[in-house]
Amino acid sequence: MQENDRRSPGFTDLGELKIDVDRPRRTGAAEAVFAAGKTPDQVVRALTELRNAHPELPALATRCEPACLEAVKAAFDGVTVAETLAVVGDFPEPSLGTVGVVCAGTSDLPVAHEALYTSRALAMETHLIADVGVAGIHRLLAQEERLRSFSVLVVVAGMEGALPSVVAGLTDRPLIAVPTSVGYGASFGGLSALLTMLNSCAPGITTVNIDNGFGAAQAALRMLRLTDQTKD
Amino acid sequence: MQENDRRSPGFTDLGELKIDVDRPRRTGAAEAVFAAGKTPDQVVRALTELRNAHPELPALATRCEPACLEAVKAAFDGVTVAETLAVVGDFPEPSLGTVGVVCAGTSDLPVAHEALYTSRALAMETHLIADVGVAGIHRLLAQEERLRSFSVLVVVAGMEGALPSVVAGLTDRPLIAVPTSVGYGASFGGLSALLTMLNSCAPGITTVNIDNGFGAAQAALRMLRLTDQTKD
Amino acid sequence: MQENDRRSPGFTDLGELKIDVDRPRRTGAAEAVFAAGKTPDQVVRALTELRNAHPELPALATRCEPACLEAVKAAFDGVTVAETLAVVGDFPEPSLGTVGVVCAGTSDLPVAHEALYTSRALAMETHLIADVGVAGIHRLLAQEERLRSFSVLVVVAGMEGALPSVVAGLTDRPLIAVPTSVGYGASFGGLSALLTMLNSCAPGITTVNIDNGFGAAQAALRMLRLTDQTKD
Amino acid sequence: MQENDRRSPGFTDLGELKIDVDRPRRTGAAEAVFAAGKTPDQVVRALTELRNAHPELPALATRCEPACLEAVKAAFDGVTVAETLAVVGDFPEPSLGTVGVVCAGTSDLPVAHEALYTSRALAMETHLIADVGVAGIHRLLAQEERLRSFSVLVVVAGMEGALPSVVAGLTDRPLIAVPTSVGYGASFGGLSALLTMLNSCAPGITTVNIDNGFGAAQAALRMLRLTDQTKD
Amino acid sequence: MQENDRRSPGFTDLGELKIDVDRPRRTGAAEAVFAAGKTPDQVVRALTELRNAHPELPALATRCEPACLEAVKAAFDGVTVAETLAVVGDFPEPSLGTVGVVCAGTSDLPVAHEALYTSRALAMETHLIADVGVAGIHRLLAQEERLRSFSVLVVVAGMEGALPSVVAGLTDRPLIAVPTSVGYGASFGGLSALLTMLNSCAPGITTVNIDNGFGAAQAALRMLRLTDQTKD
Amino acid sequence: MQENDRRSPGFTDLGELKIDVDRPRRTGAAEAVFAAGKTPDQVVRALTELRNAHPELPALATRCEPACLEAVKAAFDGVTVAETLAVVGDFPEPSLGTVGVVCAGTSDLPVAHEALYTSRALAMETHLIADVGVAGIHRLLAQEERLRSFSVLVVVAGMEGALPSVVAGLTDRPLIAVPTSVGYGASFGGLSALLTMLNSCAPGITTVNIDNGFGAAQAALRMLRLTDQTKD
Amino acid sequence: MQENDRRSPGFTDLGELKIDVDRPRRTGAAEAVFAAGKTPDQVVRALTELRNAHPELPALATRCEPACLEAVKAAFDGVTVAETLAVVGDFPEPSLGTVGVVCAGTSDLPVAHEALYTSRALAMETHLIADVGVAGIHRLLAQEERLRSFSVLVVVAGMEGALPSVVAGLTDRPLIAVPTSVGYGASFGGLSALLTMLNSCAPGITTVNIDNGFGAAQAALRMLRLTDQTKD
Amino acid sequence: MQENDRRSPGFTDLGELKIDVDRPRRTGAAEAVFAAGKTPDQVVRALTELRNAHPELPALATRCEPACLEAVKAAFDGVTVAETLAVVGDFPEPSLGTVGVVCAGTSDLPVAHEALYTSRALAMETHLIADVGVAGIHRLLAQEERLRSFSVLVVVAGMEGALPSVVAGLTDRPLIAVPTSVGYGASFGGLSALLTMLNSCAPGITTVNIDNGFGAAQAALRMLRLTDQTKD
């Protein structure tokens, strides 16, 4: 079973891992490690390569099991953990716009935190508005002005996932909806919230995968780079 | 192929139709004719029997195709048609409480009308608040006081179906949520709105089948009869 | 990551928790804590705030894991536990009408108990009729008179979930159907019972989420408040 | 594009059609023509071969479109049509036991008729009990004795499909449940009734495909042949 | 929370358990205990009542967890366990016809055993033909004659579930198809095999729930009682 | 059936239609008319109100049936039609950034056109790159530089919907993925493409509903307003 | 709305159509036109370009509506139509191995024909074995030797789709399974047959999309080119 | 419960196991043991029989649990384990063509390894190209020449599963797509990747079950045997 170990332009080829070191230039963010299904050793190895390739950027691993998080904390200094996300290296100074992460219930906080910490690792300024679900709409309306003060909104909700529709009607900001798997019975692991967000009657909402706070932050980055005067 | 044609206590046995003439006594409302899959002739025959059994009550047929509606209008005087619903006979004076039918978008009106006309046929007083979807939440909040003035609320919404969650947080009234098949793509014929309503974070919402305005009115009747002093 | 800690009219803002203390006035019942996805500490903190805000009402937490139940029992006196439901504080005297909880099989009892204890916490008088599934219809018919004696019916069933259709044909009472996840194979975690209840040929049934005994009790409360002379 | 046209033991090979003329010996019933997706000409050709192979048996075609039914009626004498079923040839004298076809609503009659006419074509004596849905359970209980008088029961129901569970608790007869596509919204084309029947709490129910009255009759035949003294 | 403890004709009312002691007379078999979701204590209590009501019949509990099986074995003498099925009491002498249980793969044996032991407990003579999946069709054809020697066939298969279609083409016996959850990936917990069996092109197959060997045996009993001369 | 016709701050209340005339101020775009389920008359009436409220903005109606399009063209001058989209009024001068609409196959063009014309109506400059599906990846790579020249990308694809993943790896621009219902069989009306986009391994993709070119343009608007110096 | 019209190496860029003229060199077969969702004019234009680019190869369009087929027949000489497939140009002499197309029922013939004509257009020799469904297994076994005489097998089946499993157990040839949408009820448009084929217990089966006879032929081509001595 | 223990031509009948010893002659590969649902003892017994029947071939067991793998390693010498696959006996010299296994991400390696080891056990030469997902398309394009050097390609991908579409556009080799269950949320256990592969716009892709690396290798074997000059 021969394997490839050539070094090619644009990526570092370690055989079973090929680090896409050219990605920051192309897409504005370094590759992150999707840890699910990888051994702790593979995750550490990939993070090491990312740190070597981009020492100025924190390296991220998502969907880490506890054993994986332990291995990462043992292997590196300066690891920040938020649920299943590991951030290796210092958070940069915020240099892009502001991301407001809004979440419907306290149970949605783990996903909101994934969005918040990823955003910070990508040099965005972050704010959290928590527990403003639509069953007590006045809690949300009390934040209306503040909602309009952020550049981009990430709205996180499980169960029926109605929050993004209401928020989108209150502001003109880009709104990234994140369905969560919070719920039971006919929530079908987040399917209910996902369908709600895809079918929103409020135009201009976009959606990411269930529980994908990481992806929402990445999308926010793409949007905020539009306003980045220092970029080119 | 022998068939049954005996006359039994509590129902009129016409072979392929068995009219449950005892139902008003047991459940508070006469049987209605579910017209889908029946021939126009079968529908007319069933309505005739219902009129004979309960001359004081209007007779209803739901899910009527156009040919069926034509046959009903030809067979009876005094037919009111609302979309696929036919009401044969005069509407009674309202003698029970008030039903407020709230609908998210103008496209949901056919289902709202089914709920309204069925409610009227069952002697309830009805009101309609239309086009108050959550993307323009101020339209709904302008109705907050009025919402609290009805005895029972029927809230009709398609697409993401978020309206009942918000309304339930504003009032203490029984709230019957009706998902509609309005939408496209990932609304999957009303599934999206249905799941939203079943997973609502606002406690105390109950749900009926997709597009089932008729059933919502029947449920409202059961609730309003709780307050009916004239009943027994 | 700045967070909000302002105190706003109508709710207590603790940052990640915003207690909707105005909810009893608006909807007739205090907020309950949805414990799934929350840490035991968050649940205890929320219950404490609810107890402070409404000392006269018991505080409820639903979907508690065992560790969460332990934390709640350690933090408060007078905790009643029914499966995953925790009730903190004394049950009030029943002052509203009667709720009859009917369940199809003994395996459905945990969900039935959630409905019963929530109903009691909300000041309703409760009764249980258990193990009257439709495969032995005479067991149910023997209860016909008793079924008609309750103000509101909560009918709990897993597997094929046929019980509400039969009960609804026997009485004129509001009927809240609760599908359970009892079953295996093609029950698909309660989907079979849920679809049955949504498609019932007996008009006037309304349905809540799978295993949602809590929500059924909340819906019953909204109905029984219609008859509450002491309310306004 | 060469094709096979050899004549093989046990079947007649017409290239694109291979008539399984040995099937009555092996399985107790002649092959039937599944007309969906076939041209009228192919259906007529297949029926002709079946008539030639088994002149003593009526030949059946299921799922016929109107154009196909016209072609069959033009091609043969003595065609009986029941919805999409065509029976070519005389019905035999009933020589096996009795089949009781029970159906929940008048809208389910087309499927019930498919079961009835197929049963008659297979030499079974047939009876119909129609419109005994569970929302008016007394209509069904009035038939309890009669239900127990048949050898085999075919129970046909759409919407929530609860009828077989109740019937199975009243008799010891083999019970073949036939879900129908009657319904709307969350009936999902008969899925609701199908899941109900598969999950029945009444033991001993077996189920066939949605709208498959033909298959139910074929299953009944296999059961009644167990009691056929004249068979071997 | 008052509960019912009246003793009614036809069943023994223990409050949360109502033993349908009249069921053998009505349906030909005693009630069995569905153990899933019940406490071991509830299961033992129900089995005790069944033994008291019908001392001449073995009492069955299905879907028992290991702790439940332990409790049953501790509480009674003469317990036979087959996977999750517990049989309390002696197996009767076979007095009805023969049931041939055919299974596609060795992995399907647990479900096949549930069918076999239930059949024996219901006084049927049982035979097993194992590991005759359709990928090696000659293994099945070698059993053709033997297949035709049984009164009723129970055909058990997971994965693609094709075995019943082939067997039904080889015999005229009633054939009860049992899909199993054996498989992975797109078998979706037995859905693949279930759909295969419902859509079989071989007429006369009936199907039960996924992994429901118990139900298949109960259905076989209903069929074999047709031939029971001693019954009435 | 009384109806509301009060005039409230922020919206024009026409009873069954409530025009949210305040929406441009809040969200940056005027309300559009969702025509599905509305009568042509209702659509024309709503467009008239929108034209009156915002004479400087074109008014849009989506999901128009042919009869509806005819009515709109008869009622107004200057109607542009793109598939089911009607634009009433002149397109404004582009004053915001550029939107590149990329589509996988020629069959996806109708959805791409909906995105293009909506974008133009919202004052964005638009470009189309068509027929660059991933099966001929060199067609796409030949556009790599051009892809990077747009401010925002809308990527439209049916069937397997893989195009957004590849495009997102080539640029740092915000990327809105639009699944289409183009396909057959296991595409399940666009579900396949939708799931692909939600599960993309390329971080930063966001997704809208199936066939929702309109929503993608609305989302692009929210993003481009971030860079609009003239806004406040 | 500017569009691209540059001419790039490897493909012909016509703006909304980009003909991948390099594809035969890369993948062994010319691009085909997927006609669904295209106008007849677009289809004719694409076929014209393909004929110009590769005059020696027939040009194919799949999923053509009747109007599209008419346009194609009007635009070209020498058009062969098989259901929704149009072949423009002469079929080449067979120069690769043999493809045996086996189909379960006569209703599956349209899909089988799509596979046959595509195979012939791609220079393969084709044979058809029709109507050998598993319910009459002897019809199939009579073909066992012949099945083993082909290089590649394409096995087409709807309903339960069991045929590929049996055929794969009889031969060592590559076997491409094609599920069809033939069926009703719980066949769910071919899903049942698709799942069957994916879950086959016979190792070595591969599957294509529902009704995708075209894709099966393309896959066969890739396999037979392995044996093509003239290729390089 | 009598069981069969006859010895029949073509297979070894051990009652609950029937070893299809004739399978290599018919299909080109020995039977493998599907270990899921079997006891370790049953797996060892079956492997023993396979080793006895075909001493020259390694015997394979798939889907082994850890306890099963331990039992196999204890029972035999020379066991190779790759995830849940056990290979008993020496790998043969490669005598057929080359299989290139391409996988999208490092997390897909377990499934890729199952394909690789099975291929080696079946005498094919194997190569691995790992971590070439489409989000960094240049990593894949750097392998374009190498991809074209293999006889058959097995392409393994989870999440959105887009890799096979791109690879198929770059080569003319048979391509077997293997979806994996890698992913979360709306990947639904591999369904997303599976649908992507079935709907690929790149013609000639065939697909196997989710995570079925074993089946892909078996399919590759059938293809490579086409080129095997030593076969007959």
Side-chain angles (χ1 to χ4, degrees), chain A residues 14-31:
Chain A
L14 308 165
E16 297 195 356
L17 285 171
K18 291 184 180 54
I19 307 297
D20 187 0
V21 294
D22 187 44
R23 197 175 289 188
R25 186 192 60 79
R26 289 198 327 274
T27 75
E31 200 176 3

Side-chain angles (χ1 to χ4, degrees), chain A residues 153-212:
Chain A
L153 292 162
V154 172
V155 185
V156 181
M159 302 178 99
E160 85 269 57
L163 186 58
S165 292
V166 179
V167 173
L170 298 174
T171 83
D172 71 337
R173 302 303 153 138
L175 191 161
I176 303 159
V178 189
T180 75
S181 54
V182 169
Y184 62 94
S187 78
F188 297 126
L191 178 64
S192 169
L194 173 62
L195 293 182
T196 297
M197 293 170 184
L198 290 168
N199 286 287
S200 178
C201 60
I205 292 177
T206 57
T207 304
V208 295
N209 195 3
I210 298 163
D211 290 337
N212 190 8

